[in-house]
Amino acid sequence: MAAGGKGDYPLFALGKPRFDQSRLKAAVQLLEDYKHGTLPTGVSNQQAILHPDTNEKILMPFRMSGYIPFGTPIVVGLLLPQQTFGTTVFWQWLNQSHNACVNYANRNATKPPPVSQFILGYIGAVTSAVSIAVGLNVFIKRANRFSPATRLLIQRFVPFPAVAAANVCNVVLMRHNELEEGISVLDMDGNVIGSSRIAARHALMETALTRIVLPIPILVLPPIVMSLLEKTWILKGRPRLTLPMHSLLCLAAFGFALPVAISLFPQMSEIETSKLEPEIKIATSSKSVFYNKGL
């Protein structure tokens, strides 16, 4: 790591933002200038951490770029062996709390939902996750036909169905108002054409599918790999390496799964105008329009 800055880049400081946060206002103004074709000369490409609909800053733990570092410790906790009733409830609650905030921060904000909608989605997600996880754990413990080793192995996969079902519940409940009010659809130039419930249905379906795909590698691969490693000399003779190895596997799986899941559908999705409401069809001559599906 270089000791000094280079060019226009400021010095690196651990635990502090690299750039002055007041520059966000200037970045927002640049985006507005770009939309109106009035960019000043000499302006280069910029990167921002702003919501595409509201132009508001997204808090670090809830940005997609922060999903892995803030989400990995939770995944490690979800996959810890020998879960008790208390630890199962805690980790499922913590995971859905983080997911709820991420979903809200990266939602389509052209039709802001009421706070009650957020609370409903949060309660529904936590309830479904905890109920499924606890129910499956109780069922497995009472399944006498399984040996203790088989029972432990199956328990490691319990978080996946619980998290996948709760993720869908979280998205649908939290963004249900979009199905009723619709979301804004835009033309190629970014002009709002109208509000579409059909586009909202596509947006929620795409986001829900993403939330199902995302936990597959994260909650399935580490238990499989760990069950194999625990039989080798690597962990048999060094049990203290179990947690670090487990954490490393979760981090690698998360790092692989997130870009794959997000890349399934673009954030600004495209849909044929002919598939939308009649009022949208007559409002534009474009063959297709765009909408922010959220992340």
Side-chain angles (χ1 to χ4, degrees), residues 176-189:
H176 186 264
N177 69 303
E178 296 176 22
L179 297 175
E180 300 173 352
E181 300 180 13
I183 59 176
S184 296
V185 292
L186 306 88
D187 61 17
M188 286 285 294
D189 299 319

Side-chain angles (χ1 to χ4, degrees), residues 80-136:
L80 288 175
Q82 304 292 350
Q83 294 273 6
T84 65
F85 175 82
T87 57
T88 298
V89 172
F90 172 76
W91 288 113
Q92 290 291 345
W93 164 77
L94 186 61
N95 182 55
Q96 290 308 319
S97 297
H98 184 231
N99 286 345
C101 291
V102 171
N103 287 340
Y104 181 81
N106 295 279
R107 72 200 183 282
N108 179 300
T110 58
K111 301 286 184 179
V115 177
S116 59
Q117 199 79 44
F118 174 82
I119 296 173
L120 178 64
Y122 173 71
I123 294 175
V126 171
T127 302
S128 59
V130 171
S131 299
I132 294 172
V134 171
L136 287 175

Side-chain angles (χ1 to χ4, degrees), residues 200-218:
R201 190 162 62 244
H202 279 259
L204 259 68
M205 181 184 68
E206 291 168 354
T207 305
L209 285 173
T210 298
R211 291 296 189 269
I212 294 174
V213 172
L214 178 59
I216 293 177
I218 300 172

Side-chain angles (χ1 to χ4, degrees), residues 82-85 88 134-146 151 155:
Q82 304 292 350
Q83 294 273 6
T84 65
F85 175 82
T88 298
V134 171
L136 287 175
N137 276 329
V138 170
F139 171 77
I140 293 169
K141 287 179 180 179
R142 293 181 177 179
N144 297 324
R145 62 181 178 275
F146 296 135
R151 201 175 298 155
Q155 277 184 313

